Amino acid sequence: MTQSDSRPHLQDFEGKTAIITGAASGIGLALAEALAARGADLALADIDARGLDAARKRLASTGRRICTRVLDVSSDADVRDAAAEFEATLGRIHLVFNNAGIDMSGELASLSEQDWTRAFGINVFGVIHGIRHFLPLLRRHGEPAHFVSTASGAGLWVNGDFPMGAYAATKYSVVALSEALEQELRGTGIGVSVLCPGPVKTPIAERSNHASESFRAAVATGTAPELVANHTLEAMRAGEFYIFTPTRMRPRLEARFARILDALERASAVTTGMAAT
Ligand SMILES: NC(=O)c1ccc[n+]([C@@H]2O[C@H](COP(=O)([O-])OP(=O)(O)OC[C@H]3O[C@@H](n4cnc5c(N)ncnc54)[C@H](O)[C@@H]3O)[C@@H](O)[C@H]2O)c1
């Protein structure tokens, strides 16, 4: 719900400065465009140098200040150095979008050690490095600030239609990190949100060696990234923590939570029985 008010809550994006990782494509690029259209300056980071250059050119006509940096979010040193450069170039940073991420489809036992390291390095440690090096930039001033990480609907339930258990494991981690961060930052006025999109029409599956046909098909007919970006910014302004996009996951989530709650009920029945004996 609404975040604490020890500093002004984020009302608009005009004159704010945002760091976005994974900014060369898909949801990250759409966030950059939506923020620039609302008057924000941009610090754009991605591992794809050519894509980043194209994004900078595409955004140049907005007249906003734009700083780009090629980095690998799985590298603590890369993210630390980027944070220093962004602050030195753009000054106060108000918004962080830890958005870079990759698909890691495939049955669990089929994945190599390298696959696991890559998936957790980018999807989980990318966010951890953002917490370590970008979050301090938001703490340095008393102006509105918001920290957003992109998880996924797969961060809340494991979709049996796709063999994506490893991806889900990374995204559950992003949800847990975000829930913990929200608790830790309560009272500071720094807002926290976790973006949990359903399928979004981006090149994520094309970049993957592992993507299943069912995942490719879901992404190909997914929500437009521009809609995701606009909805995300509005939800941040409204102080929402969980941010979803249209998906058919509600019945699946209800079934998952009902199963958990039923198991809890049975546990309390056992305890009651034990207490009675
Ligand atoms: N597209 C979907 O259906 C969907 C659904 C739920 C969540 N997500 C999540 O949204 C985020 C953005 O994905 P997208 O769909 O826009 O995909 P995308 O492939 O279009 O964009 C991801 C960007 O991250 C960059 N990137 C990859 N590895 C990196 C690294 N090590 N360091 C820095 N940058 C790196 C890529 O170069 C790319 O520009 C990801 O975290 C993804 O898991 C996507």
Side-chain angles (χ1 to χ4, degrees):
M1 291 311 296
T2 308
Q3 315 277 344
S4 167
D5 283 327
S6 64
R7 65 167 92 187
H9 174 68
L10 187 79
Q11 298 293 331
D12 58 42
F13 299 94
E14 178 80 40
K16 307 292 186 300
T17 302
I19 295 175
I20 307 170
T21 68
S25 173
I27 297 170
L29 180 57
L31 282 167
E33 289 181 320
L35 284 160
R38 287 166 173 76
D41 293 330
L42 302 170
L44 307 179
D46 205 288
I47 201 167
D48 173 4
R50 254 206 275 162
L52 203 52
D53 200 40
R56 189 176 49 72
K57 288 188 179 128
R58 188 164 155 163
L59 287 156
S61 62
T62 64
R64 306 310 313 175
R65 292 187 304 157
I66 297 170
C67 178
T68 57
R69 176 141 183 141
V70 177
L71 56 58
D72 179 348
V73 293
S74 71
S75 157
D76 187 77
D78 275 15
V79 177
R80 180 197 62 206
D81 295 350
E85 183 187 329
F86 289 150
E87 189 178 41
T89 310
L90 296 170
R92 292 180 178 180
I93 306 292
H94 306 90
L95 306 160
V96 172
F97 294 86
N98 286 300
N99 169 75
I102 56 162
D103 168 54
M104 190 51 71
S105 298
E107 289 185 6
L108 300 181
S110 74
L111 299 178
S112 66
E113 188 188 354
Q114 200 190 11
D115 292 332
W116 286 103
T117 304
R118 191 167 131 74
F120 275 81
I122 296 171
N123 292 3
V124 182
F125 275 91
V127 173
I128 293 169
H129 297 147
I131 292 170
R132 281 170 47 70
H133 301 299
F134 294 148
L135 179 60
L137 306 182
L138 304 187
R139 291 189 191 269
R140 292 231 227 287
H141 57 80
E143 297 176 8
H146 208 105
F147 192 93
V148 186
S149 300
T150 306
S152 168
L156 291 158
W157 69 292
V158 177
N159 186 344
D161 296 341
F162 311 129
M164 293 186 80
Y167 179 78
T170 66
K171 295 302 188 178
Y172 269 60
S173 297
V174 175
V175 171
L177 288 166
S178 301
E179 288 179 351
L181 195 64
E182 189 207 18
Q183 291 172 19
E184 290 176 14
L185 293 181
R186 208 163 276 159
T188 66
I190 300 176
V192 179
S193 298
V194 61
L195 173 59
C196 300
V200 183
K201 196 171 179 181
T202 74
I204 190 168
E206 291 160 34
R207 294 178 201 280
S208 169
N209 300 327
H210 298 260
S212 61
E213 278 314 310
S214 51
F215 179 58
R216 284 179 199 279
V219 167
T221 55
T223 309
E226 296 73 25
L227 289 180
V228 177
N230 286 327
H231 172 63
T232 300
L233 300 187
E234 288 315 308
M236 287 165 62
R237 269 183 356 117
E240 287 179 29
F241 174 71
Y242 297 106
I243 304 177
F244 293 103
T245 66
T247 73
R248 289 188 288 271
M249 75 181 202
R250 187 183 175 104
R252 316 280 186 97
L253 262 190
E254 282 174 346
R256 173 167 180 256
F257 290 135
R259 191 176 173 209
I260 292 169
L261 294 173
D262 286 352
L264 270 179
E265 281 299 310
R266 286 195 295 281
S268 49
V270 170
T271 314
T272 311
M274 282 169 64
T277 54

